[in-house]
């Protein structure tokens, strides 16, 4: 963990801009994502918007050999869902859209759940509670706190609601690279782990399962699903440690 980069004031300003632009992508999607469209249409719309409207780069495309600009994770898909032309959103679905954007050399990473109009009350509750769990983690962020404080807060909240926390995937440092140190676990023990310092930037992105925590990767090598076929949800923001707390760099208008 000696490789954690503390961002300068100039770098933080550039990361703010990347985060602001990424938030605007979700605002554009709010009216676009409806039953009847394909996950590939979401991918293509976002690629066009990032490249043509924002003059930025979709940072996921080409990363680790991935050929799309985002992940679309429906229902029991935990993460890394691959967009497809024949995967059509239905009225009862929930979907996580996970997008990265690079502008002026710095990357922002965020994801948002979209709930279709006929989704069940239990699906809606999972989405709401997952979002709240992410914020329980974010609220721990300040200089002198630890990564364990973040993980513990998320785990305690999620498990108190009867859910399980996925262990295999975590948040991560972010900046010039999409994945930097440190790793940010969504479970843990208060007071343990790396101490937070002003100028650190990382993602907090819990994946919360309705059932058990066990997962498996499908044959495509990307798509991760719950083993028990129960629903999973995720929320993600890019966060900066400030001198007296935190700043969410990817905060969307509806969250302000």
């Amino acid at each position: 963990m000696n490789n954690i980069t503390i961002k300068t004031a100039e770098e933080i300003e550039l990361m703010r801009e990347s985060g602001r632009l990424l938030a605007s992508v979700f605002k554009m999607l709010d009216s676009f994502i409806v039953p009847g469209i394909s996950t590939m249409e979401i991918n293509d719309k976002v690629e066009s918007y990032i490249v043509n409207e924002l003059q930025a780069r979709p940072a996921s495309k080409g990363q680790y050999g991935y050929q799309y600009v985002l992940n679309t994770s429906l229902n029991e898909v935990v993460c890394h869902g691959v967009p497809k032309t024949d995967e059509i959103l239905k009225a009862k679905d929930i979907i996580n859209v996970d997008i990265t954007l690079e502008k002026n050399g710095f990357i922002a990473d965020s994801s948002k759940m979209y709930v279709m109009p006929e989704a069940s009350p239990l699906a809606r509750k999972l989405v709401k509670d997952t979002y709240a769990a992410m914020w329980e983690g974010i609220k721990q962020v300040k200089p002198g706190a630890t990564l364990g404080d973040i993980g513990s807060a998320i785990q305690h909240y999620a498990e108190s609601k009867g859910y399980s926390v996925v262990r295999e995937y975590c948040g991560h440092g972010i900046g010039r690279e999409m994945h930097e140190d440190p790793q940010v676990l969504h479970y843990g023990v208060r007071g343990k782990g790396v101490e937070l310092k002003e100028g650190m930037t990382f993602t907090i992105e819990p994946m919360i399962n309705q059932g058990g925590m066990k997962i498996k990767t499908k044959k495509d090598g990307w798509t991760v699903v719950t083993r028990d076929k129960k629903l999973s949800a995720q929320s993600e923001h890019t966060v900066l440690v400030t001198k007296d707390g935190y700043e969410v760099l990817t905060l969307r208008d509806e969250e302000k």
Side-chain angles (χ1 to χ4, degrees), residues 19-254:
R20 185 185 70 77
L21 293 177
L22 182 49
S24 78
V25 178
F26 288 103
K27 185 171 185 179
M28 177 274 295
L29 283 177
D30 287 345
S31 58
F32 183 76
I33 296 181
V34 293
I37 67 165
S38 72
T39 51
M40 189 63 79
E41 287 177 90
I42 300 171
N43 178 84
D44 294 348
K45 179 83 168 174
V46 167
E47 180 165 25
S48 172
Y49 189 79
I50 289 176
V51 173
N52 299 319
E53 300 291 324
L54 303 180
Q55 281 78 55
R57 181 178 74 87
S60 297
K61 191 172 186 177
Q63 177 96 345
Y64 309 122
Y66 189 71
Q67 46 187 316
Y68 306 103
V69 304
L70 46 71
N71 293 117
T72 45
S73 301
L74 261 83
N75 301 326
E76 76 279 6
V77 179
V78 175
C79 61
H80 301 162
V82 179
K84 303 181 191 73
T85 51
D86 61 354
E87 184 174 60
I88 308 299
L89 282 187
K90 300 182 186 68
K92 292 185 174 172
D93 286 340
I94 60 171
I95 181 172
N96 180 268
V97 182
D98 189 345
I99 309 172
T100 60
L101 178 151
E102 183 252 309
K103 179 84 172 181
N104 300 317
F106 284 87
I107 298 172
D109 188 358
S110 184
S111 83
K112 178 177 177 176
M113 294 296 300
Y114 288 86
V115 179
M116 296 303 101
E118 294 174 29
S120 72
L122 284 176
R124 291 174 184 278
K125 186 175 186 306
L126 172 67
V127 169
K128 182 168 154 285
D129 289 341
T130 298
Y131 179 75
M134 173 192 67
W135 277 102
E136 288 299 311
I138 290 172
K139 287 188 290 194
Q140 306 305 310
V141 175
K142 63 182 180 185
T146 68
L147 289 178
D149 297 346
I150 298 172
S152 173
I154 292 169
Q155 180 182 7
H156 181 267
Y157 185 86
E159 291 178 353
S160 77
K161 300 289 184 182
Y163 305 119
S164 60
V165 180
V166 172
R167 302 295 204 266
E168 287 85 348
Y169 298 94
C170 60
H172 49 87
I174 188 168
R176 291 186 185 276
E177 301 292 332
M178 191 191 302
H179 295 119
E180 300 180 352
D181 280 339
Q183 292 195 329
V184 182
L185 304 183
H186 303 118
Y187 61 95
V189 179
R190 291 198 73 83
K192 298 285 187 185
V194 172
E195 183 179 318
L196 305 185
K197 293 184 169 59
E198 182 182 356
M200 287 171 66
T201 50
F202 47 79
T203 69
I204 297 177
E205 49 179 298
M207 287 148 245
I208 307 296
N209 292 350
Q210 209 172 37
M213 69 172 76
K214 289 189 174 170
I215 60 173
K216 64 180 180 182
T217 304
K218 293 178 88 165
K219 288 197 180 77
D220 64 10
W222 291 104
T223 308
V224 178
V225 296
T226 58
R227 279 193 176 270
D228 59 15
K229 305 276 202 306
K230 292 194 175 176
L231 297 176
S232 186
Q234 182 184 19
S235 284
E236 176 181 14
H237 272 311
T238 297
V239 180
L240 163 72
V241 184
T242 63
K243 69 176 188 298
D244 52 8
Y246 65 84
E247 179 183 339
V248 177
L249 299 176
T250 45
L251 197 69
R252 303 183 294 270
D253 284 348
E254 83 257 18

